[in-house]
Amino acid sequence: MEIKRREFLKLLGGVSGAVAIGTYGCNQVIDVPERLIELAKKGLGIETWKNTICGQCPAGCGIKVRLVDDIPVYIKGNPLYPVNQGGMCPSGHSALEVLFNPDRIKEPLKRIGIPGSNKWEPLSWEEALQKIADFLIKQRRNNKSHQVAFLDGSEQNSLMSEHIAQFMKAYGSPNYYQYPSVKNDSVPYLLLQGTQQIPSYDFLNTKYVLSFGSNFLEEGYSPIYYTKLYTHLKELTEKKRTRFVQIDSRMSLTAINADRWIPIRPGTYGALALGVAYILIREELYDNEFVSKHTFGFEDWVDNEGYTHLGFKSNVIGNYYPEQVSKITGVPGETILEIARELGNNKPSLVLGDQGSADNTNGTYSQMAIHSLNALLGNFGKEGGLYFTDQPPLAELPRVQEDELAVKGNSQPPIGCTYNTSFKIMDFSINSFTKNILSDNPYPVSVLFLYKGNPLFNALNHHDLAEALKKIPLVISFDSFLTETSEYADIILPDHTFLEKWDEYSNIPSVGFNHVGIQQPVIEPLFDTRNSANILIELGDKIGGTVSGSLPFENFEKEIKFRVEKIYRSGEGAIISEGLKGDWLEYLQQRGWQVGRYNSFDEFWKLITKHGGWWNPIKKEKGIKNIFKTSSGKFEFYSQLLKEWTDELVLMKGNDSHQNRELVLSELNINARGDQVYLPHYEAVPVDEHMPLYLTTYKLLTNRNGQSSNQPMMQEMFGYTSHQSWNTWAEIHPATAKDYGISNEDYIWVESSTGSIKLKAIVNPVVMPNVVAIPFGLGHTSFGRYAKGHGVNPNSVMKNLYDSLNGNPALQATKITISLAT
Amino acid sequence: MNSMQNKIIAMAQLVSFLAMWIFVIGIIIWIINLISISVELQDAPGVSLGISLVAIPVFITLACILTYAYFGFKKNTSNLKNHSED
Amino acid sequence: MPKKIQYENELDAPLFRPIYETGKGFYITVGILMLIILWALIMYITQIWFGLGVTGMNQTITWGFYIINFVFFIGISHAGTLISAILRLSRAEWRRPITRMAEVITAIVLAIGGLHPILDLGRPDRVLNIFTSGRLQSPLLWDVTSITAYFTASTVYLYLPMIPDIAKLRDKGGKLTWFYSFLSWGWQGTEHQKKVLNRAISILMIMVIPIAISVHTVISYIFSMTLQPGWHSTIFGPYFVVGAIFSGIAVLLILMIVSRKVFHLEDYLKKIHFQYLSTLLLIMALLWFYFTFSEFLTGIFGSEPHEMEIIHYKFTGPYALFFWGMLLLNFIIPVIILSIKRFKTITGILIASIAVVIGMWLERLNIVVPSLANPRMELPIGIYIPSLVEWSLFLGGIAVFILGFVLFSKFFPLISIWEIEEGREEGIKEVEERVHSYLPGKETGSK
Amino acid sequence: MPKWAMVIDLDKCTGCGDCIAACKLENNIAIVSPEEANDGRVMFWMDMITIYEGEYPNIRVKRFPKPCFHCDNPPCTKVCPVNATYKNEEGLIGQIYHRCIGCRYCMVACPYTAKVFNWLEPEWPDEFKNCFNPDVSLRMMGVVEKCSFCAHRLLKVKEDADSDEREILDNEYLPACSESCPANAIDFGDLENKESRVYNLSRSSRAYREMEDLGTEPKVIYLQKRE
């Protein structure tokens, strides 16, 4: 036996042992795939590891890819990369199924059928690019450069987005949008403290965390980073534990791991937050010093014209006493009392708000209410509070050179914004984007670039969006797969998968330190695909002039190098490396802000690509002053910015008259009046009262935005928590199920005013009564053999509602009824 | 019934009889083999022995009974033949 | 047909008739059965081709029809040999027309049952591994050994008592003379041969009883040796044996009634035989209930959570219908029919027996599936719905059994002729002496 | 002789399910068709068990990963008729795929339902055949398979250790699940080695094993949630 095994090892060289275990394995050589036998005959199977950044979701984890004879066979977390420190999420592991997916687009395609007909014919790169370039040039010559729009669904803080922005600006169009857009999510922070940045939370030093629907372990910006923090915390605080309390209408992964779960009626988070504020204020549990020093609009105040304005305090005291709040939220008064006291008595204590509380028509106001709790607790610029990371010392891209065509184009109003195209607060709303395209308001869109993402699948207004896509003369999609959306494209320029391309990721939102990750090819492109970034450079060159001048790089790799070189010069931080394993924070603290010296940039570059990234955990000391960029230089309970901009809108209606203000407010779907509009307050969600149940959706780690639906492994373990594979299910509380005569595993109809879907019911008490929770991700009508026709898409029964302040879709605002499917 | 046929039949009987023995012996060998394996793998030896102790004798007795019957009948038929000769 | 074979003048002519006269009925039955078997064969080939995926089993419920039927068929096999052996031992004179049939059933059903585990294998091509690298500590191997032993024993036990009848057939001549003379081992019916034969039989019947019992005990071990709740029970050995004999007698009764009708054996299988046998059935029914009762009582009384889970599942779960059906068919119906004189007619007995056979099959189902459907780990409870393939193979098994019986009846007398004769000649005298010997008074010189 | 064991800290485990994916990728576990999956024939070596305790709204959800427990007193190896599943000298329970006759007796006998069966011929599109892990043999139709504690990794580690004459270090041999668990909840190591993390954790007051009353002596030890 032994000898045989040796022989076998020889056969497979470096990659020892298809031998399972025991002494019988030798016979199992026959079980090794042909390919490997051949490789083995060729010589030793050489095993190598390459570091890169995972592109499955925006979380930007560092991954280590195992290659045997240059073919990736396994992926694990990069133990050195500070964001995930060797951790991974399920979908990261199925990345190889993206790379080797049988449904990949292998060459440029031209649509021959009608949009959505999915009939294609191949096209040579030169032909395709020339075609597009000509069109773009024509547009430009006719002063229509602004009619070129770019929709970037990557959701990623990568160089790519800046790259695109650069291109669009140089070309002369204001219409570059990210969807979903992080900028939108940060609107509340913009309104309250004037900075458009997602805060990071100092979990490690806090005693108590109150999370308003923020599912940071599952749906957050970087779940694995938070998982790491979370468990690191549990290690640190064996004795005195940090207490996690999760407020959510469904028991999310975060809620399961929290110390307490408080169910709440969807869309009423803001009210609860203010209810908590009520008690903090009443019982003097808030940070009086901070509030008096660094906040604006807490007490009632008088403006220059001598008008008295309502203060946060009196607003809260007046409207949000526990009985009232518990009537709105369904949370018992004593519970509110409890959490408020725990919050006030366990400082430093943190308050988080996201997903559940944000994805609603009143999302922005809820977030403001929740965030203002942090102000009451004085959680700024102190240990165990929240903070804002610095920007990494990356080189800015060269200043965009705008010729007069570009200037003219850029001066045009962007079409991606809400009801009035100059509403500055919001970055992008797919809803108004669509409406504007359909109504040619203020101008038609003639070219649309699509990069990654799948708006037709994600958006709540997919019908209109489809129409809009049909309307646009030229739709170009950079995509590796045929998705619902790219089916509407006229030309598809296949992109590399992230394992084949260069990119650079810096500062994932809410990750608590400065970091840069290098995404690099681990394998030669399998097919005739190209990096979209390079395509843009090429297009720029074809257009020529200032456009090519603004992207003066041979290719994307060079561009990244150019950016990274500045880090090297700055000498800040460190390339992640063996030394930083283990208890990294302390290590760097005592080691000062710089680790390691590099003789040359080439060495630096070699190292950073070898290890996968750079980081700098040391925060620059910031006075509270530079946290708040508001006009008052303080934290503004009363958002003067919001006031200013609403006033602008009012003026655009003509004069500042009562009815104009009414008009504006009603168009913004704001029910509050007077000063309340600019204060954190509770806005009731407009729901169909005749529908008895709430519909809430959530995203699973196995398939965060439906982008993993074409990976069989993820399809199979989609519902690993309730042993559901390849299909969608609806969670229903036993009481509710009883009312509707539904038992576990029954099939039910979920019906809203916009449509109905049939799916399996899972009856268990992890969702509050009268709420039906459905995971988002499946129900594709395209996107390859593994995605198509499995499960249902809850968004298809959702009402097309949006938070009109920041333009985000309201995923929790639909009410439904259910019935047993027969 | 000619004698030729008789001979063939007698042969056939003998063959089947031997086959029976081979079968039984085969089984016994197999069981012994199994015991050796179980000893080698330190399986519960009590069980193995128990089974084999039951199985082996059973097969042997069966075989013996058949043999007994076989020859018992044979012997008798032969003297019958002698009778018929004279 | 050269010359018509003379048997009409025989005393036991009705026993020869089915052998020498072939009606249309015979060919039709055989034809139909052949078709069914062919179908089953095709189904099995598909299973080999595509794998066990074509069945209704899944990761939690990994055993289904095949194992159920395995236990069921082996159970039936207990009819024959055991009963005939016991009757022979107790020298019950009414056994004479019954024994042969009983033994036939055993032989055929064992062959079928024994093959079922192979149907259940994921890799039948590797079945020989149990010879090269078998492990005696696995209850499955205990089965292999004990079933082979039982099979050989019962075939021998069927064969030896048949020799005199075979000789009879040989002497009648006809096309198959060579065949019969090959099997008859030159039987001449001399005193010496009779002595030899009787001795052989008497050794066999003593030996067969323990084997038969052991076989079904061992089969129960397959289940009770695991830690599964609902299986891990010491009572299982006897429980299975009783169940086996129970179903065995039922099948025997059915066949007796049928062949009595078909082959006009009213003269041989008299009402009295059915009376006696059905009484035995009744006793078994009660015994079976006793075991079932104590099995569940211990479970419920101890109320160990996992046990309870499964008992609850049996009582109320998706298979509850089968469970209560089992009680009805195995206990209530037979007891009512067999204990009330008025119902205890041939038809009544037939109904009761059929009920029992179905009931016993349900019992096997209730043992195998629910325990597997409720794993100890908190996994979603699986459901098992047998596929077409499984049903076909079940049907095929039954078809093979009937075919075997029909063919046997074509070549050999279903009732032991020589034993009947023996009964006429010596039986009566012998019984008389025996009765005398039981009675008070001085020993009459009984040999 | 080392005694390999796994310690899963349920206080840290968030139930993210990464272990499942890592395991599937590392061990070339077949992915069954949706229809098959519907019939409950999904193959996970590492599975996720969820238990709901308490009354709404004070529900405690206990969610824990379940690999093969590699019992010291395994019920499965006892019943295998062909010695296709067995306990090797280091206490790992092995499966010999090419010898298994597919009687599924071991699955029936395992109280933890840790084993899965290949009901149909496992199939992959050719593209995916590229990224098989060459260290792990593929299974064929009709055989039973289960978690092996990534024993193929042990082989490698052993060879490394042998080549530079030394003992295997603690945390040198890690199964895929433990290696990539984002919560560091899965520890793996040698119970015989008094210095190993696993040894110390296994002596914690929170340590327990699934269904200890069965006397199967699992070598997967759970650490209870702290309250």
Side-chain angles (χ1 to χ4, degrees), chain B residues 5 9 12-13 16 23 30 33-35 37 41 43-44 47-48 51 58-59 61-62 65-66 68-70 72-73 75-77 80, chain C residues 130-132 134-137 141-142 144-145 149 152-153 163 178 181-182 185-188 190 192-193 196 199-200 203-204 207 211:
Chain B
Q5 221 169 356
I9 288 170
Q13 286 170 345
S16 54
F23 170 72
W30 172 52
N33 161 37
L34 289 187
I35 295 172
I37 291 179
L41 297 168
D43 293 348
V47 181
S48 332
I51 297 294
V58 166
F59 280 101
T61 13
L62 278 174
I65 292 168
L66 278 176
Y68 170 66
Y70 182 75
F73 298 166
K75 172 158 140 276
N76 189 286
T77 42
L80 259 179
Chain C
I130 65 168
F131 293 106
T132 55
R135 274 188 105 165
L136 262 184
Q137 75 173 168
L141 274 196
W142 310 350
V144 177
T145 37
T152 26
I163 289 180
W178 61 270
S181 49
F182 163 68
W185 280 14
W187 172 273
Q188 303 295 345
T190 60
H192 177 271
Q193 285 180 324
V196 171
R199 200 175 289 142
I203 302 171
L204 269 170
M207 207 172 86
I211 299 177

Side-chain angles (χ1 to χ4, degrees), chain A residues 219-398:
Chain A
E219 299 177 64
Y221 293 103
S222 190
I224 300 307
Y225 167 72
Y226 277 102
T227 312
K228 278 287 170 191
L229 271 185
Y230 183 77
T231 47
H232 190 59
L233 191 62
K234 292 201 163 179
E235 278 169 351
L236 290 178
T237 60
E238 301 244 333
K239 306 283 155 292
K240 178 82 188 74
R241 322 212 39 181
T242 302
R243 198 166 151 75
F244 282 84
V245 175
Q246 179 77 6
I247 300 161
D248 211 331
S249 7
R250 170 187 167 268
M251 203 169 189
S252 63
L253 194 66
T254 317
I256 284 171
N257 289 287
D259 299 294
R260 181 175 185 186
W261 171 52
I262 298 169
I264 180 173
R265 196 169 291 137
T268 64
Y269 294 82
L272 183 59
L274 294 166
V276 171
Y278 176 95
I279 294 175
L280 288 180
I281 295 168
R282 261 297 152 83
E283 305 195 349
E284 297 285 323
L285 291 170
Y286 66 94
D287 182 337
N288 211 330
E289 190 219 350
F290 177 87
V291 169
S292 50
K293 268 228 209 81
H294 303 295
T295 67
F296 169 82
F298 182 69
E299 304 287 349
D300 298 358
W301 55 286
V302 181
D303 66 14
N304 332 3
E305 285 102 46
Y307 295 116
T308 333
H309 288 275
L310 180 68
F312 179 75
K313 182 175 175 186
S314 36
N315 180 30
V316 168
I317 300 298
N319 305 317
Y320 299 101
Y321 46 94
E323 298 72 24
Q324 172 65 6
V325 169
S326 88
K327 212 184 283 121
I328 300 171
T329 58
V331 179
E334 55 274 17
T335 312
I336 303 172
L337 211 61
E338 280 165 32
I339 53 176
R341 285 177 179 158
E342 286 171 0
L343 195 63
N345 295 323
N346 293 313
K347 300 212 189 76
S349 53
L350 268 173
V351 182
L352 285 68
D354 203 349
Q355 288 85 17
S357 51
D359 301 339
N360 217 325
T361 54
N362 60 6
T364 309
Y365 280 119
S366 306
Q367 292 306 314
M368 287 167 74
I370 292 159
H371 192 52
S372 49
L373 284 178
N374 280 320
L376 285 181
L377 296 163
N379 278 339
F380 292 89
K382 78 172 189 190
E383 283 226 328
L386 50 83
Y387 58 94
F388 299 86
T389 52
D390 324 299
Q391 291 309 313
L394 286 159
E396 291 299 315
L397 291 178

Side-chain angles (χ1 to χ4, degrees), chain A residues 17 21-22 24 28 35 47 66 76 93 100 228 234-235 238 257 716 720 723 764-765 768-769 786, chain D residues 11-12 14-16 18 24 47-48 52 56 59 86 99 125 127 130 135 137 151 156 179 182 184 226:
Chain A
I21 46 183
Y24 302 86
Q28 291 179 13
R35 188 182 62 80
E47 176 182 288
R66 177 182 175 217
K76 68 179 184 184
H93 276 295
F100 290 112
K228 278 287 170 191
K234 292 201 163 179
E235 278 169 351
E238 301 244 333
N257 289 287
E716 191 176 63
Y720 68 94
H723 288 90
N764 63 18
M768 75 183 288
Y786 298 112
Chain D
D11 194 43
K12 291 193 206 159
T14 61
C16 68
D18 177 50
K24 279 202 90 111
D47 202 347
M48 190 68 73
Y52 304 100
Y56 175 88
I59 294 176
Y86 67 97
R99 184 193 277 176
E127 291 84 349
N130 293 317
D135 303 359
S137 59
K156 279 185 156 178
E179 176 184 66
N184 310 351
R226 288 204 204 76

Side-chain angles (χ1 to χ4, degrees), chain A residues 628-690:
Chain A
F628 304 126
K629 301 266 189 303
T630 54
S631 53
S632 62
K634 292 179 174 180
F635 180 95
E636 293 188 338
F637 286 112
Y638 180 101
S639 170
Q640 303 195 61
L641 197 64
L642 185 52
K643 175 94 170 60
E644 185 184 319
W645 276 331
T646 9
D647 290 353
E648 265 183 36
L649 292 178
V650 173
L651 288 178
M652 288 173 59
K653 294 271 170 216
N655 60 337
D656 180 356
S657 73
H658 181 64
Q659 40 284 70
N660 283 344
R661 189 164 291 275
E662 277 300 318
L663 196 61
V664 169
L665 291 182
S666 60
E667 277 172 331
L668 282 170
N669 304 328
I670 299 173
N671 305 329
R673 289 297 177 261
D675 287 339
Q676 271 205 344
V677 175
Y678 318 111
L679 283 166
H681 67 276
Y682 166 65
E683 281 282 339
V685 178
V687 289
D688 316 335
E689 283 316 331
H690 62 281

